[in-house]
Amino acid sequence: FTCGAETNSPKGSYPIELSGLTAANYSITFSNGTLTVLPYALTVTAEDKTKTYGQADPGFTVSYSGFVNGETESVLEGVLAVSRAAGQDVGGYAIKASGLTSTNYAITFADGTLTIEKASATVLADA
């Protein structure tokens, strides 16, 4: 048989063609098929960050899980955007990643958390 797909073939459908068998007592009919290559699952996770109340937000970053064949984020299309929910008070705020697409990967975006911690304050008594 032959198949139009190889190990690193992109997502799509590829013909499988059968041939080559003979038999003296049989009339052989070949029924060709199709190999369907599905996209791999890829998760892009916004990494958790922490800051102290009153400070600027830290730089937001992401991690990737699910690349195959030695690939990296360089094979993705679009522009990575990372943002967080509004708010400046002490507490937790969702960090969201978005903007990436791919033909060969089914991308899922997972949220991270920005934790704003209390700032230190010193109170001095007058002498």
Side-chain angles (χ1 to χ4, degrees), residues 26-70:
Y26 294 94
S27 174
I28 299 174
T29 302
F30 296 102
S31 179
N32 294 330
T34 302
L35 171 69
T36 302
V37 177
L38 300 174
Y40 286 97
L42 177 71
T43 302
V44 179
T45 302
E47 296 179 321
D48 293 341
K49 299 292 181 176
T50 302
K51 77 172 193 172
T52 301
Y53 175 79
Q55 291 182 337
D57 284 353
F60 296 124
T61 55
V62 299
S63 63
Y64 300 90
S65 176
F67 282 117
V68 296
N69 300 323

Side-chain angles (χ1 to χ4, degrees), residues 106-126:
I107 300 174
T108 300
F109 294 97
D111 293 350
T113 301
L114 171 66
T115 301
I116 301 177
E117 298 176 337
K118 292 181 179 182
S120 297
T122 302
V123 178
L124 299 175
D126 286 337

